[in-house]
Amino acid sequence: MTLKIHIDEGVAPYEQVRAQIAEQARSGALPVGYRLPTVRGLAESLGLAANTVAKAYRALETDGVIETRGRNGTFVAAVGPAAQREAAEAARTYAERAVRLGLSEEEAAAAVRDALRAAYGD
């Protein structure tokens, strides 16, 4: 991961961190599951205050670009095309399993519809 902060640009440093990580995640330069540096580690490497990086990480988490897994760290989440690829892979895995279980296409699709209704609150 490469970030460049330009203090004299007029854009807040936390926004530069947020925008650059978001762009790298969306472009695939930072793959889904990539573990980001700790707030303190990234702040030190960029010469920024830890609170600045923490603010950027909070904004990225709110936007769904990254996810924090407690003490395990902070990781790039599935977004945009990466999210679609991951969903397609999950769907393929499910379809293969449904066939192995002997479900008809209608039964498998009904199970998916029920799960989606439950997940999306419909």
Side-chain angles (χ1 to χ4, degrees), residues 2 8 10 21 26 48 52 55-56 70 75 80-81 89 108 115-116 121:
T2 304
D8 58 341
I21 291 175
R26 286 189 181 94
L48 298 173
T52 300
K55 185 175 181 179
F75 299 84
E89 178 58 31
L116 289 170

Side-chain angles (χ1 to χ4, degrees), residues 21-33 60-67 75-87:
I21 291 175
E23 176 54 34
Q24 290 180 33
R26 286 189 181 94
S27 73
L30 293 177
V32 172
L60 288 162
E61 191 163 27
T62 297
D63 293 344
V65 175
I66 65 173
E67 58 188 5
F75 299 84
V76 173
V79 294
Q84 293 166 352
R85 285 192 303 275
E86 189 172 319

Side-chain angles (χ1 to χ4, degrees), residues 29-50:
L30 293 177
V32 172
Y34 176 86
R35 185 176 181 166
L36 295 170
T38 63
V39 167
R40 189 169 292 141
L42 184 57
E44 287 176 10
S45 70
L46 295 174
L48 298 173

